[in-house]
Amino acid sequence: MAAKIINGTEIAAKKRIEIAEEVKKVKNSGVTPGLAVILVGDNHASRTYVRNKQKACQELGMHSVLIELPQEISETELLFKIEELNGDQNIHGILVQLPIPKHIDEKRVIESISPLKDVDGFHPINIGRMMTGQDAFLPCTPYGIMVLLEEMGISIAGKHVVVVGRSNIVGKPAGQLFLNEHATVTYCHSKTKDLKKHTAQADILVSAVGIANFITADHIKEGAVVIDVGMNRNDAGKLCGDVVFEEVSAKAGYITPVPKGVGPMTITMLMYNTLKSAKNTLQS
Ligand code: GUN
């Protein structure tokens, strides 16, 4: 049977309506949620992502600031800018678009963002809080995956989740969020031996590898939920995921397409986190 398509565009739109409603309420209390995005250099893909983040802010009635810095900026100058934003009452979320130039220490930059404004959920304090099941800003892409499954009514407790990929942004935190929801989690990566042996046991398979056509029908179990986080270009230059959609969707129970799957959820959860940060200032 053909898999049910998990429509990320539709679910993101529904969530954005809810967020916009909440933004109105927070504004009525005198606070406009504000996001600052820092873009260093002129990476074409980063520029597109940043533009989409700003557009989403505008659509939801949030304040947004884009800070464009030259490729050659020193680490000290970047850290100074972040420090300024940490103290800016109109800014509730700070995001430094990655990757940043090699001469700047990414870890130091991430750790310089106030954990209270770390709407990416990349700061070690937020990661530690997530790992210990405390309230935290959750990384947007893994968080978006959890919301997709919740919206589809797909249960997680007791399921075997196999995550392929172990990046700090997607793979590692995705596994942790599933563990927090009582799944049994297996991580696979480039050094994993006999990948198919693991993936074929997955009730829920998350692929965050970044290689087109990486997951084929013989990687998956009949009826599995397949979450494709890949954002690749095929030989024709068309956007595609890690999963060979046609053959895998004929065997899976549910599948996220690329585009219109996980992608739209990432920015939606960024908006959610920025709203949450603004609300936190009302409570304190
Ligand atoms: N580059 C690619 N994805 C992301 C993301 O989620 N956050 C940031 N800050 N940079 C990215």
Side-chain angles (χ1 to χ4, degrees):
M1 227 187 67
K4 288 200 178 78
I5 306 293
I6 303 178
N7 187 330
T9 304
E10 237 172 66
I11 294 172
K14 177 181 164 205
K15 287 284 155 193
R16 287 184 196 199
I17 290 168
E18 291 170 15
I19 294 168
E21 284 300 314
E22 286 292 306
V23 169
K24 271 190 206 148
K25 285 188 204 157
V26 176
K27 279 171 126 173
N28 285 338
S29 307
V31 174
T32 301
L35 174 70
V37 178
I38 300 179
L39 177 64
V40 185
D42 200 22
N43 179 309
H44 183 71
S46 289
R47 191 164 285 281
T48 305
Y49 294 142
V50 162
R51 201 180 303 126
N52 289 338
K53 287 167 186 174
Q54 286 216 290
K55 204 168 134 227
C57 280
Q58 280 157 16
E59 281 168 10
L60 301 189
M62 294 189 189
H63 170 56
S64 84
V65 182
L66 171 62
I67 296 142
E68 294 188 73
L69 300 172
Q71 176 82 15
E72 323 71 58
I73 193 163
S74 70
E75 184 177 299
T76 310
E77 285 172 289
L78 176 57
L79 294 179
F80 184 79
K81 190 71 221 170
I82 292 170
E83 207 41 56
E84 213 176 274
L85 295 167
N86 281 340
D88 185 338
Q89 287 200 355
N90 295 319
I91 295 300
H92 305 96
I94 303 170
L95 180 150
V96 178
Q97 186 66 31
L98 302 177
I100 51 177
K102 296 254 182 302
H103 67 275
I104 301 175
D105 184 340
E106 184 180 295
K107 276 202 196 84
R108 204 171 292 152
V109 168
I110 289 172
E111 289 179 23
S112 75
I113 297 171
S114 163
L116 300 174
K117 297 190 177 187
D118 168 40
V119 287
D120 256 331
F122 292 169
H123 194 291
I125 287 186
N126 279 312
I127 294 168
R129 291 179 67 89
M130 173 188 71
M131 287 196 78
T132 51
Q134 300 176 67
D135 183 51
F137 289 118
L138 302 177
C140 300
T141 300
Y143 194 9
I145 294 171
M146 304 312 280
V147 172
L148 285 179
L149 296 186
E150 188 186 1
E151 287 291 318
M152 295 302 292
I154 297 167
S155 66
I156 295 169
K159 297 275 173 72
H160 186 182
V161 178
V162 177
V163 181
V164 190
R166 53 173 162 176
S167 71
N168 288 338
I169 295 183
V170 182
K172 277 188 217 163
Q176 184 63 51
L177 291 183
F178 278 110
L179 183 63
N180 289 358
E181 295 301 322
H182 317 290
T184 302
V185 179
T186 301
Y187 286 97
C188 298
H189 45 78
S190 53
K191 300 277 191 293
T192 298
K193 290 185 182 135
D194 199 357
L195 179 69
K196 284 181 187 167
K197 187 182 86 188
H198 298 285
T199 57
Q201 289 178 31
D203 300 311
I204 301 174
L205 176 67
V206 178
S207 182
V209 176
I211 302 173
N213 302 323
F214 190 79
I215 300 290
T216 54
D218 53 356
H219 282 90
I220 73 152
K221 182 166 81 175
E222 190 88 41
V225 178
V226 178
I227 306 293
D228 189 352
V229 192
M231 289 271 263
N232 315 302
R233 297 270 164 197
N234 67 13
D235 294 339
K238 203 171 145 242
L239 187 66
C240 65
D242 295 343
V243 174
V244 181
F245 185 83
E246 291 73 21
E247 63 180 57
V248 173
S249 62
K251 191 174 177 187
Y254 291 86
I255 190 166
T256 61
V258 178
K260 299 186 178 173
V262 175
M265 293 305 292
T266 299
I267 294 185
T268 304
M269 301 326 292
L270 177 68
M271 299 298 110
Y272 178 88
N273 281 347
T274 306
L275 167 67
K276 174 180 163 137
S277 179
K279 279 185 178 172
N280 286 346
T281 67
L282 286 176
Q283 281 152 14
S284 57

